[in-house]
Coordinates of all heavy atoms in Angstrom, one line a residue:
V15 N 89.3 108.8 117.4 CA 90.3 109.9 117.4 C 91.4 109.6 116.4 O 91.6 108.4 116.1 CB 90.9 110.1 118.8 CG1 89.9 110.6 119.8 CG2 91.5 108.8 119.3
L19 N 96.6 113.3 113.9 CA 96.4 114.7 114.4 C 96.6 114.8 115.9 O 96.4 115.9 116.4 CB 94.9 115.1 114.0 CG 94.6 115.1 112.5 CD1 93.1 115.5 112.3 CD2 95.5 116.1 111.8
S38 N 70.3 112.5 132.9 CA 70.2 111.5 133.9 C 70.3 110.0 133.3 O 69.6 109.1 133.8 CB 68.8 111.6 134.7 OG 68.8 112.9 135.3
G49 N 92.9 106.0 115.6 CA 93.6 106.0 114.3 C 92.9 105.2 113.2 O 93.5 104.6 112.4
L181 N 114.1 84.0 91.7 CA 113.5 84.8 92.8 C 112.0 84.9 92.7 O 111.5 84.9 91.6 CB 114.1 86.2 92.8 CG 115.6 86.4 93.1 CD1 116.0 87.8 93.3 CD2 116.0 85.6 94.4

Side-chain angles (χ1 to χ4, degrees):
V15 295
L19 298 178
S38 297
L181 295 186

